[in-house]
Amino acid sequence: MKSTRLFLYCPALLAASCCAADIPVFPYGAVYFRKSNPPEQDWARDHQTAARIGMNTFRHWFMWSAIEVAPGKYDWRDYDRMMDLAAQNGINVVIAEFINAAPEWAFRKYPHAHFRASDHVRSNVSAN
């Protein structure tokens, strides 16, 4: 069974949404996940450790290049696991969209979509 997840886009919303009995919760945490770092074997331990020392927030980079692995084909497994681990450990998640890390297939399909620097040099802005 999937656990309930809290997806937030900014710390102000996090602070406002985490209030119980009018006691604000200060977001305390770290940027944790940018596929594929840290390695999968560390995830459960890291979430448990973070919760044990009082962290209540992780920010994860959701990267287009890691999610849409082929046109119309999406791989959410690692992100689902991150959300499950966060929920199991009482950690809220701030999703940071990293859409400028385009997948390689997008550059093949849309060759004109390459970034051009001010000196007109063309490059792929890809995380993979």
Side-chain angles (χ1 to χ4, degrees), residues 71-93:
K73 183 179 179 198
Y74 301 90
D75 180 0
W76 291 99
R77 290 173 296 185
D78 289 347
Y79 295 97
D80 286 343
R81 180 78 176 121
M82 282 292 148
M83 298 299 102
D84 289 341
L85 285 166
Q88 291 164 14
N89 289 281
I91 296 174
N92 296 301
V93 173

Side-chain angles (χ1 to χ4, degrees), residues 28 32 42-56 58 85 89 91:
Y28 171 59
Y32 181 71
D42 296 345
W43 298 351
R45 182 205 62 214
D46 291 349
H47 279 79
Q48 291 165 359
T49 300
R52 188 177 68 249
I53 65 171
M55 287 189 175
N56 57 26
F58 272 163
L85 285 166
N89 289 281
I91 296 174

Side-chain angles (χ1 to χ4, degrees), residues 1-79:
M1 180 170 88
K2 292 282 182 190
S3 53
T4 303
R5 298 177 187 130
L6 177 62
F7 299 104
L8 300 165
Y9 288 95
C10 75
L13 288 174
L14 178 65
S17 69
C18 294
C19 297
D22 295 324
I23 301 170
V25 174
F26 184 78
Y28 171 59
V31 173
Y32 181 71
F33 185 64
R34 177 179 175 185
K35 189 168 177 151
S36 296
N37 187 23
E40 186 174 1
Q41 63 268 21
D42 296 345
W43 298 351
R45 182 205 62 214
D46 291 349
H47 279 79
Q48 291 165 359
T49 300
R52 188 177 68 249
I53 65 171
M55 287 189 175
N56 57 26
T57 307
F58 272 163
R59 181 171 61 172
H60 298 312
W61 288 104
F62 274 47
M63 299 168 54
W64 176 22
S65 60
I67 295 168
E68 191 174 7
V69 296
K73 183 179 179 198
Y74 301 90
D75 180 0
W76 291 99
R77 290 173 296 185
D78 289 347
Y79 295 97

Side-chain angles (χ1 to χ4, degrees), residues 63-66 68-71 98-117 121-128:
M63 299 168 54
W64 176 22
S65 60
E68 191 174 7
V69 296
F98 201 56
I99 59 172
N100 62 338
E104 289 299 321
W105 64 260
F107 291 115
R108 287 189 298 275
K109 187 171 181 178
Y110 306 102
H112 62 282
H114 289 265
F115 171 78
R116 288 191 188 272
V121 173
R122 193 173 95 167
S123 67
N124 289 3
V125 181
S126 175
N128 290 346

